């Protein structure tokens, strides 16, 4: 990532005109704070986390005109004017990476507040990257989505954090994540309904 900072400069012909993406928030049970690249390069790291029934929803629709609009926080923002750059820096960084040369409406809805500790910025990044990849390529490669999302949020936008948010948001469900410098593996934990009810009844 550090060596390859170039953005996408190829002018792709979109494969889709409309995409709707819904990405869940996550709760971390164990291993949070150990999933940083510096630690993964030196140790084998284990994380347990799960997605929950709160989502970030992204709607991406192509327009015939060249205007590029963002709808968020009950506001309409003309992205070409670069207004509110500081507040929406992450979104601008993602769009700058793709260098889109066509008009679109990007609508973002969130079922939880910023700063709630539910991996919201990572879920948002994954949602927008997934939507744009689907628009441009007609498909989504999960590993590519995770790698792009990590680069855009952690390196380009300099939002501090580890890897688990991206893997949990992309793969969903209850996840056991093993990390080392050679590979990251995600295994689904199968819980009985009784265990799930027990967790839900004892969490705030």
């Amino acid at each position: 990532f550090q060596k390859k900072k170039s953005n996408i400069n190829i002018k792709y012909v979109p494969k889709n005109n409309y995409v709707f993406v819904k990405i869940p928030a996550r709760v971390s049970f164990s291993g949070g704070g150990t999933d940083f690249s510096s630690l993964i390069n030196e140790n084998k790291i284990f994380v347990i986390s799960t997605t929950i029934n709160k989502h970030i929803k992204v709607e991406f629709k192509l327009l015939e005109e060249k205007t590029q609009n963002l709808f968020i926080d009950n506001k309409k923002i003309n992205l070409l004017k670069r207004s509110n750059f500081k507040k929406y820096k992450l979104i601008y960084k993602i769009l700058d990476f793709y260098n889109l040369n066509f008009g679109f409406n990007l609508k973002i809805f969130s079922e939880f507040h910023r700063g709630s500790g539910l991996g919201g910025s990572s879920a948002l990044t994954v949602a927008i990257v997934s939507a744009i990849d689907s628009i441009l390529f007609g498909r989504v490669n999960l590993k590519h989505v995770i790698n792009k999302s990590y680069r855009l949020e952690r390196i380009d936008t300099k939002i501090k954090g580890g890897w688990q948010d991206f893997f949990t948001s992309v793969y969903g469900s209850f996840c056991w994540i093993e990390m080392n410098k050679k590979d990251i593996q995600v295994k689904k934990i199968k819980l009985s309904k009784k265990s799930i009810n027990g967790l839900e009844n004892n969490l705030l």
Side-chain angles (χ1 to χ4, degrees), residues 88-140:
Y88 302 116
K89 184 178 179 181
L90 175 59
I91 297 172
Y92 277 107
K93 286 288 187 179
I94 297 171
L95 296 174
D96 286 346
F97 172 79
Y98 282 98
N99 192 29
L100 303 177
N101 65 333
F102 46 80
F104 60 82
N105 283 339
L106 171 61
K107 297 182 180 181
I108 299 172
F109 316 88
S110 180
E111 296 177 349
F112 54 96
H113 297 292
R114 292 189 185 97
S116 56
L118 299 175
S121 63
S122 299
L124 175 62
T125 306
V126 166
I128 298 176
V129 168
S130 298
I132 297 177
D133 275 9
S134 183
I135 288 287
L136 293 180
F137 313 123
R139 66 187 186 282
V140 173

Side-chain angles (χ1 to χ4, degrees), residues 4-67:
K4 298 179 180 179
K5 300 285 277 189
S6 60
N7 294 349
I8 294 177
N9 292 314
I10 302 172
K11 302 301 182 184
Y12 289 101
V13 177
K15 298 291 179 63
N16 289 313
N17 295 320
Y18 175 85
V19 171
F20 177 81
V21 178
K22 184 169 75 170
I23 300 294
R26 67 102 187 98
V27 171
S28 180
F29 286 89
S30 177
T34 67
D35 56 326
F36 289 78
S37 293
S38 57
L39 295 175
I40 295 171
N41 284 335
E42 302 296 331
N43 306 277
K44 195 166 188 179
I45 302 300
F46 304 95
V47 173
I48 298 176
S49 61
T50 186
T51 48
I52 62 174
N53 193 26
K54 296 289 182 182
H55 300 84
I56 284 181
K57 302 171 185 177
V58 165
E59 182 182 274
F60 199 104
K61 182 179 181 180
L62 266 62
L63 302 175
E64 292 184 3
E65 58 269 26
K66 290 290 186 179
T67 183

Side-chain angles (χ1 to χ4, degrees), residues 190-202:
K190 294 182 179 180
L191 295 180
S192 66
K193 187 64 178 177
K194 181 179 179 180
S195 296
I196 292 173
N197 288 338
L199 280 171
E200 291 182 348
N201 290 333
N202 288 279

